[in-house]
Amino acid sequence: MNFTNDPTRLLLLAGLTLSYAMVCLAPYLRQRRKRQAARLARQQAGQAPAWLVAYASQTGNAEELARQTHATLALAGIAARLCELSELTAAELQGAERALFLVSTYGEGDAPDTGAAFAQRLLGGELPLGQLHYAVLALGDRAYSHYCGFGRALDRWLAGQGAQALFPRIEVDRSADAAIAQWRQQLSHLAGTSDAPDWGAPAFAGWRLAERRLLNPGSAGAPLYHLELEPQSGVLPDWQSGDLVQVAAPAEPERPREYSIASVPADGRVHLLVRLHRHPDGTAGLASGWLCLQAAPGEVLPLRLRPHRRFRLEDNATRPLILIGNGSGIAGLRGHLRARALAGQGRLWLLFGERNAAFDAHYADELDGWRADGLLERLDLVYSRDQPRRRYVQDRLLEQGEALRAWLAGGAALYVCGSLDGMAAGVDRALRQLLGGAALDALAAAGRYRRDVY
């Protein structure tokens, strides 16, 4: 990080810092005032719902299940408030009679972004909740050591505050249908209705593997393949940059894998980046091995699209964007870059990290073209192994603190895509060091700090 004793530069830096802080905090404060006003109006009208449906979701699964849960209650004539977990206050919890929590786990047993503020404010503290009856649906993946860690911690905390479980915690391994059906059955009993909305996910459709190519021959990292798929029906569905696909491998159809879409509908195909995973014994992963090695060009694969609302552009569609990622995370960022190129909207800054420039410069021609055209105003490529001391995206970010504050003061939004271990955690620490935790949390609450990490 560069420092200066020049009074003029120090004053300019201070002004930029103050400007960016006001820009970050103002939308968050407006949203909070609106929520508080709406809550007060309900309370004054005697309409504060006795039921709560709260979700904490990283990729959208828990949010979608929460919306379906809320719809079931509404069908039964039960008024309930649907909200992100981080919006819940201690007073609301103490005023509720029943609360349904649908939460995923992020990283090493932590709360996802939409539950982090709740965890910081309340989880682990004391809050008498003897009046509350609750239930927890915990989403997770048994492949991780802290399976359903946040859901389990939330359940323990609620019970420790005197809240009474309506039924035992239900844990969902990778969106397993049986566990979700169990939640739906319990919910129907609570709501007193069997006429619930259809909770079934869209059916898988056939997509033809039109193209596959290795992006990084000779790389020190695992092989990374670019795939292009076309709908067998010939009708291309709509999606937005930031969305995901689910692919069901023949060897494990009950556990579909999710991948970021690296294209936009105008491209005419769904583009994916798939890293070939190998187990310690050398065998390929069931899904990645099938997609990268076994499925033949022209073969039809079962695939379905899934909205990923927390990583879409939405209100940030015309803002300056700071896109940060590494490895296969370039997929989700490329989708946003292609969307903005199609719209003719620049003010983009990409910070991307990989191992070696000679082997891992994914989509280099595209990036160079966008930079030459002025779409990419800034391009920072960090190759960790191209110098004796390894350097990563978060290191470059720390060096660019002054520029980062200036972009945020100009209204920019931050999008992070890539690996949780190392990159995403390191970027988050760097941002908190540069901006302060409160300012970064305000950006997240305003939808200007979004992550798609795995």
Side-chain angles (χ1 to χ4, degrees):
M1 192 182 307
N2 296 324
F3 296 92
T4 179
N5 292 320
D6 182 354
T8 302
R9 286 176 58 82
L10 288 173
L11 285 172
L12 177 59
L13 178 58
L16 286 173
T17 301
L18 180 60
S19 298
Y20 113 81
M22 294 303 297
V23 169
C24 295
L25 288 170
Y28 167 72
L29 293 174
R30 284 198 299 270
Q31 290 182 7
R32 188 175 70 172
R33 284 196 295 270
K34 288 180 180 178
R35 289 195 297 266
Q36 290 172 340
R39 191 179 305 129
L40 180 60
R42 288 196 303 268
Q43 292 171 347
Q44 290 174 342
Q47 296 175 351
W51 287 66
L52 297 170
V53 179
Y55 62 88
S57 183
Q58 192 65 35
T59 63
N61 287 326
E63 179 180 357
E64 181 59 28
L65 289 170
R67 293 187 183 281
Q68 293 167 345
T69 296
H70 185 258
T72 298
L73 294 177
L75 185 69
I78 298 173
R81 181 183 176 223
L82 174 68
C83 64
E84 290 184 352
L85 184 61
S86 285
E87 293 180 6
L88 275 185
T89 65
E92 285 177 307
L93 271 179
Q94 290 182 310
E97 297 175 6
R98 295 191 177 188
L100 305 177
F101 299 92
L102 301 91
V103 301
S104 61
T105 292
Y106 169 76
E108 297 301 317
D110 298 326
D113 291 346
T114 53
F118 177 93
Q120 293 168 4
R121 286 197 321 267
L122 298 176
L123 209 61
E126 297 295 327
L127 184 68
L129 294 175
Q131 90 296 340
L132 184 66
H133 293 74
Y134 76 95
V136 173
L137 182 71
L139 282 70
D141 183 341
R142 290 191 184 278
Y144 291 90
S145 56
H146 297 275
Y147 173 62
C148 291
F150 178 62
R152 293 176 178 181
L154 176 62
D155 190 14
R156 287 193 301 269
W157 179 78
L158 289 164
Q161 309 315 303
Q164 304 168 59
L166 292 162
F167 49 85
R169 179 183 67 250
I170 295 175
E171 297 182 347
V172 184
D173 181 20
R174 283 193 181 179
S175 302
D177 290 340
I180 294 173
Q182 185 183 358
W183 174 265
R184 186 183 181 193
Q185 181 182 32
Q186 293 283 6
L187 181 64
S188 295
H189 290 322
L190 289 176
T193 179
S194 59
D195 185 21
D198 181 12
W199 283 36
F204 284 92
W207 287 67
R208 186 179 67 86
L209 179 57
E211 182 180 336
R212 179 176 59 209
R213 66 178 186 270
L214 178 63
L215 290 186
N216 61 340
S219 173
L224 184 64
Y225 288 84
H226 171 96
L227 280 66
E228 297 189 13
L229 300 106
E230 299 173 334
Q232 189 180 23
S233 66
V235 179
L236 192 71
D238 193 24
W239 72 87
Q240 294 184 31
S241 63
D243 284 348
L244 307 169
V245 299
Q246 293 182 330
V247 182
E252 208 175 17
E254 74 284 357
R255 301 181 73 185
R257 302 304 199 272
E258 290 190 336
Y259 298 96
S260 301
I261 302 177
S263 58
V264 292
D267 295 318
R269 293 176 174 177
V270 160
H271 297 181
L272 306 178
L273 269 73
V274 181
R275 181 83 69 179
L276 177 62
H277 173 73
R278 290 199 179 275
H279 300 295
D281 63 0
T283 59
L286 291 176
S288 67
W290 174 59
L291 290 170
C292 297
L293 304 176
Q294 297 158 13
E299 186 173 338
V300 175
L301 318 181
L303 179 149
R304 65 187 176 200
L305 277 66
R306 189 171 75 76
H308 188 187
R309 294 180 178 88
R310 287 201 56 78
F311 203 66
R312 286 180 169 181
L313 292 180
E314 295 185 331
D315 293 342
N316 298 323
T318 59
R319 288 182 180 276
L321 298 181
I322 304 171
L323 308 172
I324 306 171
N326 75 327
S328 60
I330 191 66
L333 304 181
R334 181 178 184 251
H336 289 325
L337 286 166
R338 294 181 78 81
R340 290 290 286 260
L342 187 65
Q345 295 171 338
R347 291 308 318 275
L348 302 173
W349 178 6
L350 174 66
L351 298 100
F352 179 73
E354 255 287 6
R355 288 175 172 82
N356 299 105
F359 307 107
D360 304 301
H362 314 317
Y363 304 116
D365 290 344
E366 283 185 3
L367 298 180
D368 289 342
W370 286 329
R371 189 179 189 182
D373 293 342
L375 181 82
L376 261 177
E377 188 169 319
R378 295 193 57 154
L379 177 61
D380 286 87
L381 301 176
V382 184
Y383 295 101
S384 61
R385 303 190 181 190
D386 279 355
Q387 58 280 315
R389 179 177 175 271
R390 293 188 180 179
R391 292 170 45 77
Y392 302 98
V393 168
Q394 53 266 37
D395 298 320
R396 180 65 59 86
L397 195 60
L398 286 170
E399 295 168 355
Q400 300 296 326
E402 187 173 337
L404 175 74
R405 295 186 188 95
W407 274 63
L408 291 173
L414 288 156
Y415 282 76
V416 180
C417 190
S419 62
L420 169 63
D421 293 335
M423 188 279 298
V427 166
D428 189 78
R429 286 193 296 270
L431 290 171
R432 292 183 183 279
Q433 179 178 336
L434 291 169
L435 310 177
L440 189 62
D441 291 342
L443 283 171
R448 290 175 55 198
Y449 177 36
R450 303 189 179 206
R451 300 191 291 179
D452 178 10
V453 296
Y454 40 85

